[in-house]
Amino acid sequence: MKVKALKRTSGASVERECPTDLRRQSRNLNPTFHPMQRAREYTRAVTAAKMERMFAKPLIGNLGNGHRDSVTCTATSKRALLPLVSGSADGCVCLWDLATRKCLTELPAHSRNVTGVSFAHGGQAFYSCSDDGLLHRWTLHPNDEKEDGLPSHSPVATWRCGGSFKSMDQSWTDPNRFATASDEAVQIWSPERSNPLQTHGDLFGSEDTVTTVRWHPVEGHLLAHCSADRGIGLHDIRANQALKKTVLRMRCNDLQWNPMEPMNFAVANEDYQCYLFDMRKLDIPIKIYKGHTSA
């Protein structure tokens, strides 16, 4: 019987200088041995593109050099996308140009936290309300002068309530109506009167503060509100009474109507979720949107 021993040269691919080195791998570049090469390269390219989109920065730009405190509310006109109005916790209201992302004017509007801003129906004026119990009407263009002769803004009209304003919204259909949410009441106002047209004080037997109020985009007589007792309610200003109410497990922070499907509205809740409701049936939400990491 003959025994032959294998002898490897010094340039063999299996040899390593030290045990931690990787072994050399030979590769045959003949395309006939790689029939799936194009498919593998395509899959790698698609995966790389997806990863690039996943790790891309979603921030397009920021509106800097404006507020010195936290922003509490924003609003744009229902007739145009420019300009943008924002209110902060230090009582200042800023006018922004979205094209240049610059602050046009900073108004010392209130002495306390600005809780709501909303444009008037024509888009040439806007409202601001605050915890100090004052609601101001402003114009986009300067209507006053300072002591040094420079143009400035001053409120065109001012309304006052007994408590503090928590939210406000301009009617989509009637230019002479806007709604406010205050302590224990939802009120309907007119720019031509100093007293509210209607006051909805009996909120289904609850005396908690109303935190958010929104007009229906199509039915101009319907209002929706969120209250501190974890409730969501509907109002009919024609009958001057509350219609329906549902109570969730935790308090809602905001409410917005769906402009494409006006019978639906969404609420943001403290339990890190968003709920989509049908105003015709408030018992069960249509959809629940999850994924947020905070309220």
Side-chain angles (χ1 to χ4, degrees):
M1 182 180 66
K2 290 184 178 181
V3 178
K4 293 183 178 180
L6 295 176
K7 182 180 180 181
R8 303 186 184 277
T9 61
S10 60
S13 61
V14 295
E15 288 189 357
R16 297 177 293 176
E17 295 182 358
C18 59
T20 58
D21 291 344
L22 297 177
R23 297 184 183 274
R24 299 179 187 177
Q25 299 292 336
S26 61
R27 182 183 177 188
N28 191 343
L29 300 179
N30 191 350
T32 57
F33 295 101
H34 303 280
M36 303 298 294
Q37 182 178 2
R38 293 177 60 88
R40 286 196 300 267
E41 292 297 332
Y42 179 79
T43 304
R44 292 174 183 174
V46 172
T47 304
K50 289 182 178 179
M51 296 300 293
E52 184 179 358
R53 292 286 299 274
M54 290 172 59
F55 291 103
K57 295 181 180 179
L59 181 62
I60 300 176
N62 65 328
L63 305 178
N65 301 324
H67 292 290
R68 291 177 294 272
D69 207 336
S70 60
V71 179
T72 56
C73 53
T74 59
T76 56
S77 175
K78 294 180 174 63
R79 302 296 179 182
L81 296 178
L82 296 175
L84 173 72
V85 176
S86 61
S88 62
D90 58 358
C92 292
V93 174
C94 290
L95 291 173
W96 300 87
D97 184 7
L98 294 181
T100 59
R101 301 171 189 170
K102 292 183 179 180
C103 179
L104 301 177
T105 307
E106 183 178 359
L107 309 177
H110 299 276
S111 60
R112 298 181 63 183
N113 176 29
V114 180
T115 55
V117 289
S118 179
F119 270 88
H121 196 268
Q124 298 299 319
F126 64 93
Y127 300 92
S128 65
C129 62
S130 172
D131 283 336
D132 58 5
L134 296 178
L135 188 149
H136 297 309
R137 179 185 173 96
W138 308 83
T139 58
L140 293 179
H141 305 287
N143 59 346
D144 201 355
E145 291 185 358
K146 297 181 181 179
E147 297 179 356
D148 53 1
L150 296 176
S152 64
H153 290 75
S154 61
V156 179
T158 301
W159 294 267
R160 183 187 298 272
C161 72
S164 60
F165 289 107
K166 298 299 181 183
S167 178
M168 70 164 302
D169 191 28
Q170 171 69 39
S171 174
W172 290 73
T173 57
D174 191 350
N176 295 322
R177 285 182 180 177
F178 61 90
T180 60
S182 59
D183 298 333
E184 304 178 5
V186 174
Q187 296 175 328
I188 312 300
W189 301 78
S190 173
E192 301 175 354
R193 297 183 58 179
S194 59
N195 296 324
L197 301 176
Q198 293 183 8
T199 300
H200 298 261
D202 185 13
L203 302 178
F204 311 94
S206 174
E207 297 183 355
D208 281 330
T209 301
V210 180
T211 58
T212 305
V213 62
R214 293 290 182 268
W215 285 95
H216 194 280
V218 178
E219 299 292 340
H221 57 275
L222 286 180
L223 279 169
H225 82 272
C226 300
S227 56
D229 62 346
R230 302 173 286 117
I232 304 171
L234 299 176
H235 298 268
D236 189 353
I237 64 174
R238 296 177 301 181
N240 195 10
Q241 64 180 0
L243 297 178
K244 301 178 181 179
K245 182 179 180 180
T246 184
V247 179
L248 303 181
R249 292 184 178 181
M250 300 188 70
R251 186 170 64 92
C252 294
N253 297 324
D254 198 4
L255 184 147
Q256 294 292 337
W257 290 95
N258 187 345
M260 302 301 295
E261 297 178 354
M263 73 287 296
N264 300 332
F265 63 89
V267 292
N269 200 270
E270 290 279 355
D271 60 358
Y272 305 174
Q273 298 177 4
C274 293
Y275 298 90
L276 183 64
F277 283 94
D278 189 339
M279 70 176 184
R280 298 166 295 184
K281 187 177 181 181
L282 297 180
D283 299 336
I284 302 175
I286 302 175
K287 292 183 180 179
I288 300 177
Y289 299 94
K290 303 180 180 180
H292 294 282
T293 58
S294 184

